[in-house]
Amino acid sequence: MMRTRLIRAMGTSLVAGSMAFSLSAHAAQGLYSADDLMDADVYDSSGEEIGEVANILMDDNMSVHSLVIKTGDVLGMGGRDVVAERGTFTLRLEEEGDNEFDDQDYEVHMEATQDEIKALPEYDESWWNQTSDSLSQAWENTKESSRSAWEDTKQATSSAWQNLKQGVESMSDDAEN
């Protein structure tokens, strides 16, 4: 009877958990065209145009890591390429125009002021190497932390099992006496 209740409780938990996973896995997500995002106008926090998207940088998970924004460009001359990391901007579909399937027009809106945008890192080889090294180091740290957590979990589980086993043996010895 106890076993039946345990199986039912576990079954209910598994069904509820799989439903929650199913709902989150199928939640509506935006879908954006990288081709249409290239050259999109970029605006600062006050709504003033500051440049356009020059490049889209992806991480190992094929997620957007950053946008490279060409700022201060006048007639194709001058300007500076700066890096805006994911989380510092939002992407919006332009309200004007047809915005058909194969011709979407996007706007990128920064959460930064003109002065904060001027302080963004410049997109160059130095930035690339430093960021690449930082991401590699972060991954190594994550792997090491995961490995350590796994070892701690195995050790705690083994210890708990040994304690339980000794407790049962002790109860068995007490019952025999």
Side-chain angles (χ1 to χ4, degrees):
M1 177 142 158
M2 178 69 155
R3 182 177 170 187
T4 303
R5 279 191 225 154
L6 180 61
I7 290 171
R8 283 185 187 152
M10 288 177 64
T12 302
S13 296
L14 289 172
V15 169
S18 66
M19 284 175 51
F21 176 75
S22 169
L23 291 174
S24 66
H26 294 15
Q29 296 291 317
L31 187 61
Y32 304 95
S33 165
D35 187 46
D36 290 333
L37 179 56
M38 293 299 296
D39 300 323
D41 292 333
V42 180
Y43 299 87
D44 67 12
S45 60
S46 67
E48 187 174 329
E49 186 176 342
I50 56 142
E52 64 183 31
V53 175
N55 202 345
I56 303 167
L57 306 178
M58 312 294 280
D59 62 18
D60 286 340
N61 295 322
M62 294 291 103
S63 296
V64 172
H65 177 276
S66 315
L67 295 180
V68 176
I69 300 169
K70 177 102 161 142
T71 64
D73 190 16
V74 178
L75 298 175
M77 310 229 358
R80 197 173 147 242
D81 289 344
V82 296
V83 180
E85 291 188 13
R86 181 179 58 211
T88 63
F89 58 86
T90 56
L91 186 61
R92 299 181 193 160
L93 190 59
E94 277 187 15
E95 293 181 17
E96 299 174 11
D98 296 334
N99 292 320
E100 294 178 16
F101 159 75
D102 61 348
D103 189 25
Q104 301 289 314
D105 290 322
Y106 298 114
E107 295 177 348
V108 175
H109 291 265
M110 300 286 300
E111 298 172 5
T113 64
Q114 289 268 340
D115 288 337
E116 291 169 330
I117 291 168
K118 287 177 187 174
L120 289 174
E122 187 160 356
Y123 179 63
D124 58 15
E125 186 176 359
S126 174
W127 177 89
W128 181 271
N129 291 335
Q130 181 180 5
T131 302
S132 181
D133 290 346
S134 294
L135 291 173
S136 293
Q137 185 59 48
W139 174 242
E140 289 302 318
N141 292 345
T142 300
K143 286 191 321 189
E144 188 58 40
S145 295
S146 297
R147 188 175 303 120
S148 177
W150 173 245
E151 292 300 323
D152 291 347
T153 301
K154 284 190 332 188
Q155 185 177 12
T157 303
S158 177
S159 178
W161 178 249
Q162 290 300 322
N163 290 341
L164 179 63
K165 185 177 167 185
Q166 289 172 354
V168 169
E169 288 173 359
S170 176
M171 286 176 43
S172 176
D173 290 344
D174 290 347
E176 283 182 20
N177 290 336

